[in-house]
Amino acid sequence: MGIREFPSGAPRGKSIAVGMRRSPDVSPRRLSDISPQLRQLKYLVVDEAIKEDLKWSRSVEDLTSGPVGLTSIEERILRITGYYGYQPWAASCKREERPRDSPGPAEAQAPAGVEAGGRASRRCWTCSRAQLKKIFWGVAVVLCVCSSWAGSTQLAKLTFRKFDAPFTLTWFATNWNFLFFPLYYVGHVCKSTEKQSVKQRYRECCRFFGDNGLTLKVFFTKAAPFGVLWTLTNYLYLHAIKKINTTDVSVLFCCNKAFVFLLSWIVLRDRFMGVRIVAAILAIAGIVMMTYADGFHSHSVIGIALVVASASMSALYKVLFKLLLGSAKFGEAALFLSILGVFNILFITCIPIILYFTKVEYWSSFDDIPWGNLCGFSVLLLTFNIVLNFGIAVTYPTLMSLGIVLSVPVNAVIDHYTSQIIFNGVRVIAIIIIGLGFLLLLLPEEWDVWLIKLLTRLKVRKKEEPAEGAADLSSGPQSKNRRARPSFAR
């Protein structure tokens, strides 16, 4: 990057503007290396007496003239360098073509200023309305996730008092996954402008599995393993509810976020983040403290081991999905979950039958089955999965994850009034540690950059306040000096 030499006697600002007009293809250059100096130039005050002495100078004339009044020094530097696509030639052409005997700045630019202010306020109002709408939907999604997850957990606990068959309950609820794609297609018909038939939409979503679509080989290699992991995750979770209280189960399942990070770091080579390592350590420490809270009884240890295994299966499901299939659109995700339901009906149905005849999960008659509890649990679990998979369309993913954490205090309140749970100090500390680790895992990857920017802005604001106060105090003596100093202008 060379330095242009200015010819003697030629005004610098004018020569630069002419040079920039002759070469409009000049690529903009960044000023990140001198950004601190630019911020300091904002507070540079040009003495009126110096302006009076040098009023024929082009530099001072630029400061006192122009379509917008006083032009800041920072704008002049941006005009020289072309910072971030700023086009100085366009601004300078407009300034030179404007006649000298034009109306004053207030008269000439009042309509334009009003119009620009109206547009800016309209944009800000639209932006704020969009953000408020997204936050409103986020609150609704959080409440839906929290209520459906806590409700399904409590309803499963209530069901086991009459129907002690966790695997059969898992199989029955997973069959409802078949409804994902039909429900998605109903939403597609209602919302989309270009409506497609079921067959067309199905073929388009099948491209997610490859060029050949959903073949028998793809079904057994890319869908069947996830069907097994889905079943294991839900079965281990429900079996743990039989052993320990729902508060411990829900808080321990939050550790799956830490397991997802560890597996992604090892398998997917994701970015290493120290704060997430701390969160994983907190999750492990919370698991140990939760085990210690009940005195290492065999019943409690087995229940905690089942929840941790369920969280591990959930993490493995998410990491393998990202590794083998990548990211899916809404229609593709709905089709995939419906395929899991089909796999469950075709290949998992034999297992509840075997467990029934071996009397591992046995019930005397079908009339004794609490069908209301089974259907209620299935509907709540289906609602939870629908909101968790498609809620990103209306709100932020972080807000959806908060719903899982908020289900822990909901379950704790319900357990306090319906069971004999003892909230000793160790259990409370374990719950807080695991919850804190979960919240740390929700931080974005560039959270440290955002924090540094926030602290920098706060420092700049603190510096601006004393600078403005000093400028107000120095305005009095400067006015007296200007009166006493004679003018040399002719």
Side-chain angles (χ1 to χ4, degrees):
M1 185 169 63
I3 300 175
R4 182 187 295 271
E5 294 184 1
F6 298 94
S8 59
R12 294 192 178 188
K14 188 173 182 180
S15 64
I16 291 168
V18 172
M20 296 300 286
R21 282 201 304 275
R22 288 177 182 174
S23 56
D25 297 328
V26 175
S27 60
R29 288 167 288 176
R30 299 174 63 90
L31 290 180
S32 58
D33 53 337
I34 59 169
S35 56
Q37 288 80 359
L38 287 178
R39 286 195 295 269
Q40 294 177 2
L41 287 175
K42 290 181 180 179
Y43 310 110
L44 184 61
V45 179
V46 180
D47 195 349
E48 293 293 337
I50 298 176
K51 289 183 187 179
E52 186 70 20
D53 294 341
L54 302 176
K55 70 177 183 178
W56 300 109
S57 171
R58 177 66 181 175
S59 300
V60 177
E61 185 179 84
D62 283 344
L63 289 173
T64 57
S65 64
V68 292
L70 184 63
T71 304
S72 66
I73 296 176
E74 183 178 1
E75 182 185 348
R76 294 183 61 210
I77 297 177
L78 294 176
R79 177 154 50 87
I80 293 170
T81 56
Y83 178 59
Y84 283 121
Y86 180 80
Q87 297 180 355
W89 49 91
S92 60
C93 287
K94 292 179 182 178
R95 186 181 292 115
E96 290 179 2
E97 291 172 1
R98 183 179 294 274
R100 281 292 182 184
D101 297 329
S102 61
E107 297 176 4
Q109 301 212 355
V114 171
E115 183 180 356
R119 290 178 183 174
S121 62
R122 241 179 272 123
R123 281 198 301 268
C124 293
W125 174 244
T126 305
C127 182
S128 62
R129 284 185 63 186
Q131 290 178 351
L132 286 175
K133 185 178 179 181
K134 207 164 188 179
I135 292 173
F136 172 78
W137 278 108
V139 173
V141 167
V142 166
L143 295 176
C144 190
V145 170
C146 177
S147 58
S148 59
W149 186 240
S152 62
T153 303
Q154 293 294 333
L155 197 55
K157 186 79 170 180
L158 186 63
T159 303
F160 290 146
R161 296 177 183 176
K162 301 177 181 179
F163 185 71
D164 190 9
F167 194 91
T168 304
L169 181 59
T170 302
W171 170 82
F172 183 80
T174 307
N175 289 339
W176 289 58
N177 281 11
F178 178 77
L179 298 174
F180 267 99
F181 190 75
L183 290 174
Y184 163 76
Y185 182 73
V186 171
H188 165 74
V189 171
C190 295
K191 298 293 290 184
S192 179
T193 55
E194 299 179 0
K195 297 178 175 59
Q196 297 177 330
S197 64
V198 178
K199 192 174 183 180
Q200 290 175 340
R201 198 63 190 165
Y202 170 78
R203 287 180 177 177
E204 185 175 341
C205 294
C206 280
R207 296 176 185 174
F208 173 66
F209 297 101
D211 297 333
N212 298 327
L214 183 61
T215 60
L216 197 62
K217 180 182 178 182
V218 170
F219 179 81
F220 283 104
T221 56
K222 292 187 177 181
F226 293 100
V228 174
L229 289 174
W230 181 284
T231 303
L232 284 175
T233 300
N234 288 279
Y235 169 69
L236 293 171
Y237 184 85
L238 292 176
H239 196 69
I241 293 176
K242 289 176 54 181
K243 303 290 183 181
I244 56 178
N245 56 76
T246 56
T247 303
D248 295 350
V249 172
S250 58
V251 73
L252 288 170
F253 190 77
C254 292
C255 296
N256 74 323
K257 274 278 186 183
F259 299 154
V260 168
F261 164 69
L262 294 175
L263 287 175
S264 300
W265 181 39
I266 297 170
V267 178
L268 302 178
R269 306 293 182 183
D270 279 1
R271 176 186 171 188
F272 174 82
M273 291 182 63
V275 66
R276 293 186 178 178
I277 289 291
V278 173
I281 294 172
L282 290 176
I284 296 172
I287 293 171
V288 175
M289 293 183 68
M290 190 67 71
T291 309
Y292 177 76
D294 288 332
F296 292 97
H297 298 300
S298 59
H299 212 64
S300 176
V301 172
I302 293 173
I304 292 173
L306 289 171
V307 183
V308 173
S310 175
S312 303
M313 293 297 106
S314 174
L316 186 62
Y317 175 96
K318 295 177 182 178
V319 174
L320 286 181
F321 187 92
K322 190 174 182 180
L323 178 66
L324 299 178
L325 300 174
S327 58
K329 299 178 182 178
F330 294 127
E332 297 166 349
L335 178 62
F336 182 79
L337 292 172
S338 293
I339 291 172
L340 295 186
V342 173
F343 171 81
N344 187 74
I345 295 172
L346 295 177
F347 298 99
I348 308 296
T349 305
C350 59
I351 298 178
I353 296 174
I354 294 172
L355 294 176
Y356 174 78
F357 284 106
T358 56
K359 295 188 177 181
V360 176
E361 293 186 356
Y362 182 78
W363 54 94
S364 58
S365 65
F366 286 92
D367 295 334
D368 297 334
I369 298 176
W371 292 106
N373 291 351
L374 265 67
C375 293
F377 171 79
S378 302
V379 169
L380 287 173
L381 195 61
L382 180 66
T383 304
F384 171 77
N385 287 310
I386 288 175
V387 176
L388 206 62
N389 284 279
F390 303 122
I392 192 176
V394 294
T395 187
Y396 305 99
T398 304
L399 290 178
M400 295 188 297
S401 299
L402 287 176
I404 301 176
V405 182
L406 293 177
S407 66
V408 176
V410 173
N411 285 321
V413 172
I414 296 174
D415 286 345
H416 178 71
Y417 290 102
T418 60
S419 63
Q420 298 179 354
I421 185 173
I422 300 174
F423 288 100
N424 52 23
V426 177
R427 176 175 271 109
V428 173
I429 293 174
I431 293 173
I432 293 174
I433 287 176
I434 294 176
L436 179 61
F438 188 91
L439 294 176
L440 288 177
L441 289 167
L442 295 180
L443 292 175
E445 291 187 356
E446 298 181 353
W447 70 274
D448 51 345
V449 178
W450 294 355
L451 183 61
I452 292 173
K453 287 182 178 179
L454 179 62
L455 295 176
T456 304
R457 288 179 181 177
L458 293 176
K459 289 181 180 178
V460 169
R461 287 182 180 179
K462 288 182 179 179
K463 289 181 180 178
E464 285 178 356
E465 294 176 358
E468 291 175 358
D472 294 338
L473 292 174
S474 60
S475 59
Q478 286 181 1
S479 60
K480 293 180 181 179
N481 293 335
R482 285 197 296 270
R483 293 194 200 100
R485 185 170 180 173
S487 174
F488 294 96
R490 296 286 184 266

